[in-house]
Amino acid sequence: MYNEYNGYNAYTPPPPPPKKSGGNAWKIIVAVAASVLVFALVICTTAVFVTWIKNFYSARGDGELATEATSSSLDMYNPDQTKPAETSSSPVTATERPAPGEVQTDTTVSGDLLSASDIYYQNVDAVVSILVNGTTRTSWGEYPFTATGSGFIISSDGYIITCYHVVEGGQTFTITLFDGSEYEASYVGGDEVYDTAVLKIDGENLTAVALGDSDNIVVGEDVVVIGNPLELTFSVTKGIISATDRIIDVDESDSISVFQLDAAVNSGNSGGPIFNDRGEVIGMVDAKYAAEGVEGLGFALPINQVLNISDDLIAYGYVTGRPYFGISVSTARVERGYAVNGARIENIDAASCAARAGLKIGDIITGIDGRTVESASDLVSEKDNYRAGDTAVLTVWRNGEALSMTIVFDEAK
């Protein structure tokens, strides 16, 4: 019956059979023998593996195994994992300044087309990371600030070009090279209108970039950018030149010519070099158009313009004799309905040399001293070839007639 077995102690199992004498001793012997065999196998395998590793590293010439892993953080690459002692640069005085054009730059390239990787490794030693420390003044008082940006070395003795807005207001400037070495830089000079500045570090036989000719750039050609976006130091991006005819109004009377590119540029890229496919610097990263839904709109200063400004900054510490035209212009194109190609005058300063020369709103400037002007950027570039007080003869299209008008440039204040 079920109830007879319902209690917990109702069932009593039969006693186990008696154990045979000597059974446990045999099992112990077998277990010990197996352990000895496994241990011997492990020792032999380890010895073979260590010998193979030593032979592998010996074949590579590494000598011995590394004891520490290389850092994978965002710190700058340093092959020796040590940072050399800092060196300081004293301010460049007027007597030390070279005359315009005396700074020796390396402009020699092979002319061969290079891959982005080739361009990077041939030039990354000439690109620098810039750390700026300074003080900013607000209505609430003065506050310290830090900023970062990019730059590039143009001479083996340490002249560095960057954007003015990168170093504006800075009091100390720390330059870091790709190999991790650091220098304290002196401020040579800067120009807010053309957003160009020059720093100087004490150095010898430094790697300098090769300089190209931005007058020869064309829409669609490949470009490579090296810089320090968002403190991701010594990054490279690639793209194309999207446009060459872009004018940025700095203020009511000054405009600068830039070219447009679609290579990724971000905060920290400003001041970094832009290379063509032969490894020549053709521009400097200046700005990015940032808005929701907008991608690939970067702008750069042509290197010819940058060098014209930096030459004065190195020689004098400021841009001397900058010509003042007194007009703002836009590009006129036949395909857009204009009678001719040129730079159309949109506004005129009534107290300027342009007004005194008789120029009017709506005039289209098609030439200057016999050289063709087909766009607003052409006129801006041409103006940079003159100094305050220089005379130029303009070819102007007005009401179906080509006029010659003489202008004497004012000096920008």
Side-chain angles (χ1 to χ4, degrees), residues 187-242:
Y187 179 78
V188 176
D191 185 80
E192 185 175 7
V193 173
Y194 288 95
D195 200 18
T196 299
V198 178
L199 302 175
K200 177 69 168 64
I201 60 176
D202 284 337
E204 295 181 356
N205 301 318
L206 297 171
T207 301
V209 297
L211 300 170
D213 185 352
S214 54
D215 288 343
N216 295 329
I217 64 177
V218 295
V219 174
E221 73 171 288
D222 292 334
V223 291
V224 170
V225 178
I226 303 177
N228 308 288
L230 306 174
E231 298 186 16
L232 300 174
T233 53
F234 303 104
S235 298
V236 61
T237 57
K238 183 178 180 181
I240 62 170
I241 294 177
S242 304

Side-chain angles (χ1 to χ4, degrees), residues 32-235:
V32 170
S35 299
V36 171
L37 288 174
V38 170
F39 182 77
L41 180 61
V42 170
I43 291 297
C44 292
T45 302
T46 301
V48 171
F49 180 74
V50 169
T51 301
W52 179 83
I53 286 292
K54 288 183 177 179
N55 291 336
F56 173 74
Y57 277 88
S58 177
R60 290 178 55 193
D62 291 344
E64 58 185 15
L65 295 176
T67 56
E68 294 181 4
T70 302
S71 172
S72 60
S73 71
L74 295 181
D75 290 341
M76 280 161 288
Y77 169 70
N78 186 339
D80 297 326
Q81 294 301 305
T82 58
K83 189 172 295 184
E86 295 185 3
T87 59
S88 298
S89 294
S90 58
V92 179
T93 64
T95 56
E96 295 172 334
R97 293 183 186 277
E102 285 188 356
V103 175
Q104 299 300 310
T105 57
D106 180 10
T107 58
T108 302
V109 292
S110 66
D112 297 333
L113 299 184
L114 303 174
S115 67
S117 180
D118 290 337
I119 293 170
Y120 178 80
Y121 285 108
Q122 288 182 18
N123 292 280
V124 70
D125 289 329
V127 180
V128 305
S129 173
I130 304 174
L131 174 64
V132 182
N133 286 282
T135 303
T136 184
R137 181 184 295 274
T138 69
S139 57
W140 300 96
E142 291 187 351
Y143 299 92
F145 76 89
T146 59
T148 58
S150 305
F152 52 100
I153 301 171
I154 62 167
S155 67
S156 60
D157 61 345
Y159 281 100
I160 295 170
I161 291 179
T162 186
C163 285
Y164 177 80
H165 75 261
V166 169
V167 298
E168 182 179 12
Q171 295 167 335
T172 63
F173 312 95
T174 303
I175 304 298
T176 306
L177 306 186
F178 180 64
D179 65 4
S181 56
E182 290 188 356
Y183 299 82
E184 291 303 313
S186 58
Y187 179 78
V188 176
D191 185 80
E192 185 175 7
V193 173
Y194 288 95
D195 200 18
T196 299
V198 178
L199 302 175
K200 177 69 168 64
I201 60 176
D202 284 337
E204 295 181 356
N205 301 318
L206 297 171
T207 301
V209 297
L211 300 170
D213 185 352
S214 54
D215 288 343
N216 295 329
I217 64 177
V218 295
V219 174
E221 73 171 288
D222 292 334
V223 291
V224 170
V225 178
I226 303 177
N228 308 288
L230 306 174
E231 298 186 16
L232 300 174
T233 53
F234 303 104
S235 298

Side-chain angles (χ1 to χ4, degrees), residues 281-319:
V281 175
I282 56 172
M284 178 173 68
V285 176
D286 187 54
K288 174 188 178 181
Y289 187 86
E292 185 177 354
V294 176
E295 293 293 339
L297 279 178
F299 299 97
L301 300 169
I303 193 62
N304 291 6
Q305 173 181 295
V306 170
L307 292 176
N308 285 339
I309 300 302
S310 62
D311 191 49
D312 248 8
L313 295 176
I314 291 172
Y316 307 110
Y318 63 97
V319 178

